[in-house]
């Protein structure tokens, strides 16, 4: 029996075209898109909050810049002292569409007012289904697919491993040098860098094997190209552990935390070929590089690989916690009913946010912006690599660019210089992040909606900081 309350009609289904979302709306005013320094950073209000934070929070929680944010949007973060910082971090590749994109905010408001949670395992809602349909259509390959939603990147990677194991009946997982896959126990086992992520937290789950990643700057060396060497090492590893014990190869198509490493050409295609040869599930960890960041929706597209499972998170939820595993229907369906889930997995407010993000990605404007950002970054920073021996490389794709620092005349990483450059940028109101196994890489992750003049201004500050620090 129905009563007379009105209810939302189900969404029109996967074939409905997505229209492009407006970038601005009077209902969601954006902060002024300008760098403004009213105080030294951090300002007095941030310092006061930091004292409370230090007394209330454990040491294990790090911070890049101890500034407290009051509002954010476009390419700007406004702190509690009224400073406007240029955002080259996007909350680590999350707010690609901006931190208060109207398409996200209006959907979140509307959804939160209707209901915030049911648990999708208890009663269902159409936003989850629609996000799944969109991801099934967007991910590489036109085979039948399924999507399961989660909350964090680590959870997506963990579940990809569970699905690959269930589908193959094999235990092993192959990962790569410099890889980052998360902070849960299994994903820590898969993450390469010991300090600060892993030290003191072991033992970790077993059956995780590590192969070299094809890093153009640092090898592996030896006869043949970098990709060929890395692939030979992968074959050798599979021979050693027994390829028929390996469920999955998990690879970042462009490494994030490990140093924004674009793999040598041919590497990803080679990994795909080797996985296929041995019936190993190819998992692309697109958590950081996916959802438009590199100028294509997925970084896997740059080499035309078709992963069996794709992990997404970060930018997918537009700032709300949402993650996904999307993959071949026959693999995804290998897990028995009840084997996947989580209380918050695919939360309806996060799904509403994701539909806003997907709407914004649909017309290609943001992908175009990402490619434009790469051109601007290269134009402004590549001359530094030619001029300064401490700048080993300017690299990356789209709006995922980085500068690597070394001791002049060598490949010895210079983490101190990277830290000094970041500190100068921070003092000037430009939020940059350091990354890399050796901590010697400055990475740039601006929101894709950052205005061009603000991007250029931030890059000017970065270039001046590099010149003066090196
Ligand atoms: N896979 C490729 O980059 C998260 C880590 C921040 P979660 N990277 C940012 C930090 O220091 O904790 C990441 C990633 C790749 C997986 C993850 C994990 O995603 O949402 O942080 O769990």
């Amino acid at each position: 029996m129905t009563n007379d309350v009105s209810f939302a009609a189900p969404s029109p289904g996967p074939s409905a075209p997505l229209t492009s979302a407006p970038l601005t709306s009077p209902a969601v005013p954006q902060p002024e898109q300008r760098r403004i320094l009213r105080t030294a950073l951090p300002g007095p209000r941030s310092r006061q909050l930091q004292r409370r934070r230090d007394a209330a929070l454990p040491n294990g929680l790090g911070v890049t810049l101890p500034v407290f944010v009051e509002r954010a949007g476009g390419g700007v973060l406004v702190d509690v002292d009224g400073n406007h910082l240029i955002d080259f971090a996007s909350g680590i590749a999350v707010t690609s569409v901006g931190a208060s994109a109207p398409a996200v905010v209006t959907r979140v408001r509307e959804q939160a007012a209707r209901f915030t949670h049911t648990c999708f395992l208890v009663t269902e809602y159409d936003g989850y289904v629609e996000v799944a349909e969109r991801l099934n259509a967007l991910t590489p390959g036109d085979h039948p697919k399924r999507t399961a939603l989660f909350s964090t990147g680590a959870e997506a990677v963990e579940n990809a491993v569970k699905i690959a194991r269930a589908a193959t009946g094999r235990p092993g997982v192959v990962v790569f040098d410099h890889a980052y896959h998360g902070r849960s126990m299994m994903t820590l086992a898969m993450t390469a860098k010991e300090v600060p992520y892993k030290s003191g937290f072991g033992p970790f789950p077993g059956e995780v094997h590590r192969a070299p990643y094809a890093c153009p700057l640092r090898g592996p060396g030896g006869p043949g190209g970098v990709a060929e060497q890395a692939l030979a090492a992968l074959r050798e590893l599979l021979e050693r552990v027994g390829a028929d014990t390996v469920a999955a190869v998990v690879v970042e198509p462009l490494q994030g935390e490990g140093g924004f490493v674009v793999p040598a050409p041919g590497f990803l295609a080679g990994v795909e070929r080797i996985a296929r040869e041995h019936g190993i599930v190819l998992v692309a960890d697109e958590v950081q590089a996916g959802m438009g960041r590199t100028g294509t929706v997925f970084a896997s597209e740059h080499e035309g690989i078709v992963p069996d499972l794709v992990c997404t998170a970060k930018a997918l939820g537009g700032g709300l916690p949402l993650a996904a595993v999307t993959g071949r229907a026959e693999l995804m369906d290998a897990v028995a009913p009840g084997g996947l889930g989580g209380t918050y997995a695919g939360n309806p407010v996060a799904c509403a946010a994701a539909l806003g993000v997907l709407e914004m990605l649909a017309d290609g404007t943001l992908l175009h912006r990402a490619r434009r950002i790469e051109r601007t970054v290269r134009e402004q920073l590549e001359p530094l690599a030619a001029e300064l021996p401490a700048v080993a490389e300017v690299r990356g794709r789209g709006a995922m660019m980085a500068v690597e620092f070394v001791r002049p005349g060598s490949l010895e990483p210079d983490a101190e210089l990277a830290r000094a450059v970041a500190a100068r940028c921070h003092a000037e109101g430009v939020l940059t992040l350091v990354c890399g196994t050796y901590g010697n890489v400055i990475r740039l992750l601006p929101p894709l909606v950052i205005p061009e003049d603000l991007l250029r201004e931030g890059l000017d500050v970065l270039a001046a900081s590099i010149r003066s620090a090196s």
Side-chain angles (χ1 to χ4, degrees):
M1 204 180 89
T2 56
N3 58 23
D4 62 357
V5 295
S6 63
F7 54 90
S11 64
S15 54
L18 285 170
T19 51
S20 63
L23 291 181
T24 57
S25 156
V28 189
Q30 296 291 298
E32 194 184 346
Q33 296 295 299
R34 218 156 58 81
R35 181 169 63 116
I36 304 170
L37 291 178
R38 298 189 202 280
T39 70
L41 291 174
R45 291 203 167 131
S46 277
R47 283 205 303 276
Q48 198 183 353
L49 283 162
Q50 187 66 20
R51 282 192 289 277
R52 281 170 52 197
R53 179 230 197 252
D54 290 344
L57 277 57
N59 281 330
L61 295 166
V63 64
T64 301
L65 177 60
V67 148
F68 283 74
V69 172
E70 198 263 324
R71 54 209 253 87
V76 161
L77 298 160
V78 184
D79 77 7
V80 290
D81 292 289
N83 299 299
H84 286 219
L85 315 185
I86 297 179
D87 182 9
F88 279 178
S90 300
I92 320 189
V94 170
T95 54
S96 292
V97 299
S100 51
V104 171
V105 172
T106 49
R107 282 168 187 266
V108 163
R109 277 181 185 153
E110 188 276 333
Q111 176 59 48
R114 284 200 290 128
F115 61 95
T116 56
H117 177 83
T118 67
C119 185
F120 196 73
L121 307 176
V122 177
T123 52
E124 303 175 308
Y125 36 90
D126 66 343
Y128 188 122
V129 179
E130 196 173 345
V131 170
E133 289 169 344
R134 300 285 174 209
L135 286 172
N136 292 344
L138 265 180
T139 43
D142 49 15
H143 47 276
K145 293 177 208 151
R146 304 276 187 269
T147 289
L149 298 180
F150 303 97
S151 302
T152 68
E155 227 187 330
V157 175
E158 290 253 351
N159 278 280
V161 170
K162 284 162 66 177
I163 291 161
R165 282 180 173 169
T168 59
R170 305 170 177 182
V173 177
V174 170
V175 293
F176 293 92
D177 288 338
H178 313 289
Y180 184 94
H181 296 295
R183 291 181 186 263
S184 61
M185 281 301 184
M186 182 63 188
T187 57
L188 274 183
M190 297 165 68
T191 289
K193 192 171 172 174
E194 192 67 27
V195 181
Y197 303 127
K198 302 170 77 160
S199 54
F201 297 145
F204 302 107
E207 302 298 335
V208 176
H209 315 290
R210 199 171 301 283
Y213 195 79
C215 305
L217 186 65
R218 294 179 180 277
V226 173
E228 288 72 15
Q229 284 300 307
L231 293 171
L234 175 60
R235 285 189 192 282
E236 193 272 327
L237 171 78
L238 290 175
E239 205 159 297
R240 188 154 37 83
V241 304
D244 59 356
T245 68
V246 175
V249 178
V250 184
V251 66
E252 291 163 89
L254 194 168
Q255 285 189 325
E257 304 301 310
F260 278 33
V261 182
V262 181
F267 176 67
L268 293 176
V271 171
E272 179 183 41
R273 202 164 49 242
I274 292 169
R276 298 261 180 279
E277 261 169 48
H278 297 287
I280 297 170
V281 177
L282 177 64
V283 181
D285 181 343
E286 293 261 9
V287 167
Q288 187 153 168
M291 303 315 294
R293 175 56 54 187
T294 66
T296 49
V297 179
F298 297 99
S300 296
E301 294 171 45
H302 292 286
E303 267 208 36
I305 63 166
V306 180
D308 299 307
L309 302 177
V310 176
C311 299
T312 48
K314 288 191 185 277
L316 171 65
L320 277 85
L322 191 69
V325 180
T326 302
R328 290 185 188 280
E330 67 275 20
L331 299 177
M332 297 293 294
D333 284 336
V335 178
L340 299 175
T343 305
Y344 298 109
N347 169 273
V349 183
C351 286
L355 290 172
V357 170
L358 290 162
E359 183 186 46
M360 286 183 73
L361 270 176
D363 73 353
T365 308
L366 288 178
L367 301 180
H368 179 78
R369 266 303 297 164
R371 294 194 287 268
R372 176 75 195 271
I373 288 169
E374 175 174 348
R375 281 203 298 281
T376 303
V377 171
R378 288 193 183 280
E379 186 188 306
Q380 284 194 239
L381 298 185
E382 273 176 350
L384 291 178
E387 182 188 320
L388 302 170
V391 176
E393 206 173 37
V394 173
R395 62 167 177 260
R397 290 192 199 276
M400 187 167 180
M401 300 296 294
V403 187
E404 172 154 358
F405 298 99
V406 291
R407 306 229 179 256
S410 74
L411 275 183
E412 200 191 319
D414 193 344
E416 214 178 301
L417 180 53
R419 273 197 304 274
V421 170
R424 278 168 206 239
C425 287
H426 295 169
E428 293 293 322
V430 177
L431 180 58
T432 56
L433 300 172
V434 166
C435 71
T437 299
Y438 316 109
N440 65 324
V441 177
I442 296 261
R443 57 172 150 173
L444 306 176
L445 289 166
L448 305 183
V449 295
I450 189 173
E452 180 72 11
D453 55 343
L454 206 61
L455 172 67
R456 287 186 180 275
E457 185 181 341
L459 291 170
D460 284 342
V461 170
L462 173 60
S465 303
I466 294 173
R467 280 213 174 80
S468 64
S470 58

